[in-house]
Amino acid sequence: MTDLILAIVHHILVFGLVAMLAIERVLAGAPVVDIKRLSRLDGGYGGTATLIVLVGIGRAVWGGKGWAFYQANPFFWAKIATFVLIGLISIGPTMAILRWAKAARAEAGFQPPVADRKRVITALNLQALLLVVLLACAAAMARYPF
């Protein structure tokens, strides 16, 4: 039963992360950026990513397949590497959003420069693309060895 509960929670968190990333992309690309909402959402994105790691560790340690399955699975390690890469890429947008939030608190009506927005949108798009790679690794991982 522990394996099932961990799997359900893990999947719900991943779907939540995907939804948050999509909403962040929409907010960052809006004609007028709602910086307060974007900032809160980005915090939720980071918190959800942290929970995904913690629940994922629980699945690997206490799940039905056991650590030996994951340790020997190249798709597991590819999935972890992809998740780390997504996390590293997310640092840029998070830092920009934090700067924007600070500027918005100091100056009513502040809007981020177009160049900053383009960099953030590019990073968000790259994260979304890498999530596709991560999900492909997850599917392969579950079926390894083929």
Side-chain angles (χ1 to χ4, degrees):
M1 193 62 153
T2 299
D3 185 53
L4 175 61
I5 292 168
L6 289 170
I8 290 168
V9 171
H10 193 72
H11 287 97
I12 290 170
L13 288 169
V14 170
F15 284 122
L17 187 83
V18 170
M20 286 184 226
L21 181 59
I23 297 167
E24 273 198 72
R25 172 59 182 83
V26 169
L27 290 174
V32 176
V33 179
D34 184 341
I35 296 169
K36 187 174 183 178
R37 181 176 286 169
L38 182 60
S39 179
R40 284 193 311 247
L41 185 61
D42 192 64
Y45 181 78
T48 300
T50 301
L51 289 172
I52 288 169
V53 170
L54 294 173
V55 173
I57 290 169
R59 287 189 76 190
V61 173
W62 298 300
K65 293 181 180 179
W67 176 245
F69 169 81
Y70 294 99
Q71 186 178 9
N73 192 316
F75 295 105
F76 170 76
W77 294 109
K79 179 180 159 187
I80 296 301
T82 303
F83 195 80
V84 168
L85 184 57
I86 291 168
L88 291 172
I89 292 168
S90 77
I91 293 170
T94 295
M95 298 307 291
I97 292 165
L98 289 171
R99 282 192 310 274
W100 300 349
K102 183 178 179 181
R105 284 190 301 275
E107 176 190 336
F110 170 83
Q111 283 295 292
V114 172
D116 278 1
R117 289 177 63 178
K118 285 183 179 180
R119 279 191 292 278
V120 165
I121 289 167
T122 299
L124 294 172
N125 288 342
L126 183 55
Q127 289 175 70
L129 179 63
L130 287 170
L131 277 174
V132 173
V133 173
L134 186 143
L135 294 172
C137 288
M141 179 188 81
R143 287 149 185 84
Y144 182 81
F146 304 113

